[in-house]
C-alpha cells in the first residue's frame, strides 16, 4: 500500500502493444492489457480500499483469469479536499 507525495501525479502514456478496455458497468474502471499481465483499475472519490473492494465484489477480474497472464488489481482513492490521489492499493492474482 502506497501514498503518493503531495503534488505528485500519475501520467498514463500510450504503450505499444497495449490494449485498453472501457466498461459500461463503471465509469471509474479501466483495463490495461499487456503481453504478460492485465491490470484493472478502479478510481473512487474516497478510499483506495473502497475502490479495490468494488473490483473484488463485482468480480471485474473474472474474465481475465482464464488466460495464463497475471491479473493485477489497482484501487485508487482520490482526496476530495486535496483534489489529488490520496492512496492506491495493488493486489496480484494469478490467472
Amino acid at each position: 500500500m502506497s501514498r503518493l507525495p503531495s503534488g505528485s501525479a500519475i501520467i498514463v502514456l500510450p504503450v505499444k502493444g497495449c490494449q485498453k478496455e472501457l466498461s459500461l458497468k463503471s465509469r471509474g474502471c479501466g483495463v490495461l492489457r499487456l503481453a504478460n499481465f492485465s491490470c484493472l483499475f478502479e478510481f473512487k472519490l474516497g478510499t483506495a480500499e473502497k475502490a479495490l473492494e468494488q473490483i473484488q465484489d463485482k468480480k471485474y477480474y473474472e474474465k481475465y483469469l482464464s488466460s495464463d497472464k497475471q491479473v493485477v488489481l489497482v484501487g485508487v482513492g482520490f482526496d476530495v479536499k486535496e483534489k489529488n490521489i490520496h492512496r492506491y492499493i495493488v493486489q496480484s492474482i494469478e490467472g
Side-chain angles (χ1 to χ4, degrees), residues 22-55:
L22 297 176
S23 171
L24 297 177
K25 291 181 180 179
S26 172
R27 291 182 302 183
C29 187
V31 178
L32 178 65
R33 296 178 70 185
L34 297 170
N36 298 329
F37 65 92
S38 295
C39 192
L40 285 76
F41 295 88
E42 180 66 35
F43 301 92
K44 283 275 186 214
L45 291 175
T47 68
E49 289 83 2
K50 287 285 186 187
L52 186 61
E53 186 179 296
Q54 181 171 331
I55 296 172

